[in-house]
Amino acid sequence: MENKQRGASQEAKEVIRLENVGKEYLTKNGAVWALNEVSVEIPAHEFVVVRGPSGCGKTTLLLAVGGMLRPSVGKVWVDGVDLYAMSISERASFRADKIGFVFQMFHLIPYLSVWENVVMGLPSRKGGGLRAQAEEWLTRLGLSHRVGHKPSELSAGERQRTAVARALIKNPQLVLADEPTGNLDPENAHQVFQALSEYHRQGGMVLLVTHGAEAETYASRVVRLQKGRIVES
Ligand code: ADP
């Protein structure tokens, strides 16, 4: 990919740019550098899979890109904006506007139905349009028969597809997914990857971290992480 010279102020095409990022956790047993000298530029519209063994820093990387964990050193830009130069409230607005999240543990609200979970966090709309919009997404994800169910009445795969619908309904520029198929059987994992792939084909960008090989089939780019360092990108 062409990489034109530019200043730190970024009129960049990269949606994600990390520059010399390091993250140190202080523990009772001393300091742990979960990320070390991580530099990478990822253009828009990629489906990036960050792969590495447990403990190599994948979640730390994802949290840093999501504006949820300030690096100890280095800078993170998303869509040309220096994430940690913003105030907390600016960062919260930026995240709400631009980023959708999918987590391994789904994080659905147990007291709300599937469609209510999907529209959580969306601005209200007159005339009940939110439910129709949720139903459209749920139908695309093969869940039209589960719209009114509670999460406890769903299989793990259905729960994760609900979480994917919740991430995609706001049409974010970037979806961050942390081991999204970690609790799913291969068939359900495939459905989740397919849904993210479809979103990618339609112009969306995905950053997915995983220890497993399966996601690589769907990736447009694979970044390998080992002991907090990028060893291949
Ligand atoms: P991965 O997602 O690849 O399993 P993590 O980013 O969760 O890796 O963790 C990377 C390293 O940082 C591990 O050694 C982990 O134990 C350590 N770590 C992660 N979070 C914390 C924390 N909050 N406090 C202390 N150490 C942490």
Side-chain angles (χ1 to χ4, degrees), residues 25-27 32-34 52-61 178 209 225:
Y25 292 114
L26 296 172
T27 71
V32 175
W33 280 91
S54 179
C56 74
K58 301 182 298 293
T59 295
T60 302
L61 178 71
D178 191 351
V209 306
L225 204 58

Side-chain angles (χ1 to χ4, degrees), residues 36-40 50-53 56 61 222-233:
N36 248 308
E37 296 174 359
V38 170
S39 295
V40 68
V50 178
R51 189 164 168 224
C56 74
L61 178 71
V222 177
V223 172
R224 290 185 204 284
L225 204 58
Q226 264 176 30
K227 296 185 180 161
R229 291 179 189 271
I230 290 183
V231 291
E232 188 186 322
S233 68

Side-chain angles (χ1 to χ4, degrees), residues 37-75:
E37 296 174 359
V38 170
S39 295
V40 68
E41 297 183 356
I42 301 169
H45 313 309
E46 295 261 25
F47 187 146
V48 186
V49 167
V50 178
R51 189 164 168 224
S54 179
C56 74
K58 301 182 298 293
T59 295
T60 302
L61 178 71
L62 195 90
L63 294 175
V65 173
M68 294 180 285
L69 188 70
R70 180 184 292 277
S72 310
V73 294
K75 291 198 172 191

